[in-house]
Amino acid sequence: MIYEITGDSDVLKDFFIRERTSGYLCLTEDMPEKEARLRMALSTAGMFGTKPIRLSGFDKWKREERSSVETLIPAIDENIDLYIEGKLSTKIQVQRVSFNLPRPWEEEKWRSHVMKIAGLAKIRISKEAVAALIERIGRKEYRILRELEKLSTLSRDIDAKTVEEFVDIDTDIEVESLAYSFLNNDKGFLSSAKRSMIPFTYFSSVLLKIILDLGTIIEVRRGSAGVSWSEIKEISAYAGISSARVARLVGYSFSNTREDREDLSQKFTSEELRILVVILQELDDSIKKGQTTQELAFFNLVGDSLKRKVTLM
């Protein structure tokens, strides 16, 4: 059987193949002489057995390599399983399957996706535990699978308490959450920064990128009324910022989210953002020169931004 496997869920692709074979020959996009290797595998199948073949990253192969594979397909022995990760010509008769990831903002679909991964791995996990897992490590498929496998050695039934006790919060998620906490003037920002032990220089680089994206959105956004999803997609395409990031910064809340977001593009002016960039640069320089510490820089950021905001007023 020949399978055309498409979509961006690599974990589900792996499970699909794993359910059908315990071993296979894998040809990847970075291998030399892929066509010759494939021909050799097909020609020797009768002598050494019909071992399945996986063509990984097929969409990234050179055009002539893909065309060569397509010309070989009609002559392939029906007892050989060929798994092609990429699109073939629609004229070729193959079994077509697709495995797609939910969109970043589709929280309910992501919870269902994790439940599906757990089921395929024969791991039992509660819905509350799934929500806690996503909250702590984000939407990285293989990281999710590895954590599920790790937790399953501790308990046959994974609950939220187990997740909270044994899964560390992903640093990327933690630092971005901290950056939004600062921009939203959350009262717990400094205590959160102290608990996280995130270096100020790392925090600063993440916050700076958010500020630059926010400044771009302020420049291209039309009016002050609520932003529609179609306008978010327009801003995303024009500015080169992901639609999920644009939605987050303009306070757009999807129907299936519980988070109440503030419209940061209405909260700040371009001048206020420019001043924040200057403050971050000054604090980074102070750290490099030994004039302040990573810990004190967070306090100085809050104090300096408040002082300069009063000056603007």
Side-chain angles (χ1 to χ4, degrees):
M1 178 69 74
I2 298 171
Y3 299 92
E4 175 196 88
I5 308 175
T6 57
D8 52 2
S9 175
D10 292 330
V11 167
L12 294 188
K13 290 178 187 177
D14 282 346
F15 272 112
F16 177 81
I17 297 173
R18 198 184 306 172
E19 287 174 342
R20 288 159 177 78
T21 178
S22 57
Y24 51 80
L25 169 67
C26 185
L27 301 179
T28 63
E29 65 270 21
D30 56 350
M31 278 184 176
E33 302 179 347
K34 293 185 286 295
E35 179 189 349
R37 291 171 186 247
L38 177 60
R39 288 181 181 276
M40 177 64 72
L42 294 173
S43 64
T44 58
M47 293 181 287
F48 302 105
T50 56
K51 189 173 185 178
I53 304 169
R54 180 175 184 172
L55 307 186
S56 177
F58 186 71
D59 283 334
K60 299 176 183 177
W61 289 28
K62 294 177 182 178
R63 183 181 298 176
E64 57 270 23
E65 292 174 334
R66 297 197 304 270
S67 297
S68 179
V69 170
E70 290 182 346
T71 60
L72 286 173
I73 286 176
I76 293 177
D77 190 303
E78 62 180 10
N79 294 317
I80 298 176
D81 286 336
L82 181 63
Y83 301 94
I84 302 174
E85 293 183 60
K87 278 193 169 295
L88 297 164
S89 169
T90 55
K91 298 177 182 178
I92 299 176
Q93 296 297 312
V94 294
Q95 180 73 41
R96 289 181 164 85
V97 291
S98 185
F99 303 101
N100 292 306
L101 291 173
R103 300 295 186 183
W105 57 84
E106 294 177 327
E107 294 185 4
E108 190 59 42
K109 288 184 179 180
W110 263 103
R111 288 193 284 271
S112 297
H113 185 67
V114 175
M115 292 292 288
K116 184 173 185 178
I117 291 174
L120 290 169
K122 296 183 171 46
I123 295 170
R124 294 197 296 268
I125 183 171
S126 70
K127 292 182 178 179
E128 295 77 15
V130 167
L133 187 62
I134 294 173
E135 184 178 347
R136 297 179 88 80
I137 65 173
R139 296 161 173 79
K140 301 172 184 176
E141 274 195 308
Y142 280 107
R143 172 76 190 278
I144 288 170
L145 178 58
R146 298 289 89 82
E147 290 294 342
L148 286 172
E149 290 171 340
K150 180 184 76 176
L151 294 173
S152 68
T153 65
L154 302 171
S155 172
R156 295 186 61 187
D157 294 286
I158 302 171
D159 56 19
K161 184 179 179 181
T162 304
V163 171
E164 291 163 2
E165 185 175 356
F166 293 102
V167 178
D168 294 328
I169 298 175
D170 187 271
T171 305
D172 290 342
I173 292 176
E174 190 173 16
V175 72
E176 186 164 294
S177 175
L178 194 61
Y180 282 116
S181 175
F182 169 75
L183 292 173
N184 283 301
N185 291 330
D186 288 346
K187 293 180 180 179
F189 167 71
L190 288 175
S191 59
S192 295
K194 185 176 181 180
R195 284 196 308 272
S196 70
M197 300 181 69
I198 291 171
F200 181 83
T201 47
Y202 177 30
F203 164 81
S204 175
S205 66
V206 173
L207 177 58
L208 178 61
K209 181 62 170 68
I210 293 174
I211 289 172
L212 294 177
D213 286 348
L214 180 57
T216 302
I217 291 170
I218 290 172
E219 292 297 319
V220 302
R221 180 176 173 178
R222 302 189 302 268
S224 58
V227 181
S228 65
W229 179 242
S230 60
E231 187 177 351
I232 286 172
K233 289 196 291 186
E234 287 177 12
I235 294 172
S236 173
Y238 180 83
I241 305 169
S242 73
S243 54
R245 170 66 68 87
V246 175
R248 178 68 178 80
L249 291 173
V250 300
Y252 186 91
S253 293
F254 298 93
S255 58
N256 59 353
T257 61
R258 296 165 293 174
E259 185 179 5
D260 185 19
R261 298 173 169 177
E262 184 173 3
D263 185 348
L264 295 176
S265 69
Q266 297 295 315
K267 181 175 181 177
F268 292 92
T269 65
S270 295
E271 178 60 18
E272 286 173 329
L273 293 179
R274 187 193 69 79
I275 288 174
L276 277 177
V277 171
V278 172
I279 291 172
L280 290 174
Q281 290 174 333
E282 290 174 348
L283 288 171
D284 280 344
D285 287 340
S286 295
I287 292 171
K288 290 174 183 176
K289 294 175 182 177
Q291 296 169 344
T292 189
T293 66
Q294 298 275 354
E295 295 78 12
L296 286 176
F298 285 101
F299 290 88
N300 293 336
L301 172 63
V302 173
D304 289 350
S305 59
L306 286 175
K307 283 191 293 186
R308 301 208 189 185
K309 191 168 186 177
V310 169
T311 302
L312 278 175
M313 296 171 62

